[in-house]
Coordinates of all heavy atoms in Angstrom, one line a residue:
P11 N 24.2 0.2 6.2 CA 25.3 0.8 5.4 C 25.0 1.8 4.5 O 25.8 2.7 4.2 CB 25.7 -0.4 4.6 CG 24.6 -1.5 4.7 CD 23.8 -1.2 5.9
G14 N 24.6 5.3 6.5 CA 26.0 5.7 7.0 C 25.8 6.0 8.6 O 26.7 6.5 9.2
V23 N 5.8 7.8 5.5 CA 4.5 7.6 4.9 C 3.9 8.9 5.1 O 3.8 9.5 6.2 CB 3.8 6.5 5.5 CG1 2.3 6.4 5.2 CG2 4.5 5.1 5.5
K37 N -10.0 3.8 8.2 CA -8.7 3.2 7.9 C -8.7 2.6 6.6 O -9.8 2.0 6.0 CB -8.4 2.1 8.9 CG -8.2 2.6 10.4 CD -8.0 1.5 11.3 CE -7.8 2.0 12.8 NZ -7.4 1.0 13.6
V41 N -12.0 0.1 3.9 CA -12.8 0.4 2.8 C -12.5 -0.2 1.5 O -11.4 -0.9 1.4 CB -12.6 2.1 2.5 CG1 -13.2 2.9 3.8 CG2 -11.1 2.4 2.2
C52 N -8.3 -11.4 -9.3 CA -7.8 -11.2 -10.6 C -6.3 -11.4 -10.6 O -5.8 -12.2 -11.7 CB -8.3 -9.9 -11.1 SG -7.9 -9.8 -13.0
A62 N -0.9 -7.7 -14.2 CA -1.2 -6.4 -13.9 C -1.9 -5.6 -15.2 O -3.0 -4.9 -15.1 CB 0.0 -5.5 -13.6
I69 N -8.0 -3.0 -11.1 CA -7.0 -2.3 -10.4 C -7.4 -0.9 -10.4 O -7.3 -0.1 -9.4 CB -5.6 -2.3 -11.0 CG1 -5.1 -3.8 -10.7 CG2 -4.6 -1.5 -10.3 CD1 -3.8 -4.1 -11.5
Q71 N -10.4 0.4 -10.8 CA -11.7 0.5 -9.9 C -11.3 0.6 -8.5 O -11.8 1.4 -7.7 CB -12.6 -0.6 -10.1 CG -13.3 -0.6 -11.5 CD -14.1 -2.0 -11.7 OE1 -13.9 -2.9 -10.9 NE2 -14.8 -1.9 -12.8
C75 N -11.8 4.0 -6.1 CA -12.5 3.7 -4.8 C -11.7 4.4 -3.6 O -12.2 5.2 -3.0 CB -12.9 2.3 -4.6 SG -13.8 2.0 -3.0
A77 N -9.2 6.6 -3.7 CA -9.1 7.9 -3.9 C -10.3 8.7 -3.3 O -10.3 9.8 -2.9 CB -8.9 8.3 -5.3
F79 N -12.0 8.0 -0.8 CA -11.9 8.0 0.6 C -10.7 8.9 1.1 O -10.4 9.0 2.2 CB -11.7 6.6 1.3 CG -13.1 6.0 1.3 CD1 -13.5 5.0 0.2 CD2 -14.0 6.2 2.2 CE1 -14.7 4.3 0.2 CE2 -15.3 5.5 2.3 CZ -15.5 4.6 1.3
Q82 N -4.3 7.6 -1.5 CA -3.6 7.6 -2.7 C -2.8 6.3 -2.7 O -1.8 6.0 -2.1 CB -2.5 8.7 -2.8 CG -1.9 8.8 -4.1 CD -1.0 10.1 -4.2 OE1 -0.8 10.7 -3.2 NE2 -0.5 10.4 -5.4

Side-chain angles (χ1 to χ4, degrees):
V23 176
K37 294 181 181 181
V41 297
C52 183
I69 293 169
Q71 288 174 349
C75 179
F79 287 96
Q82 189 176 8

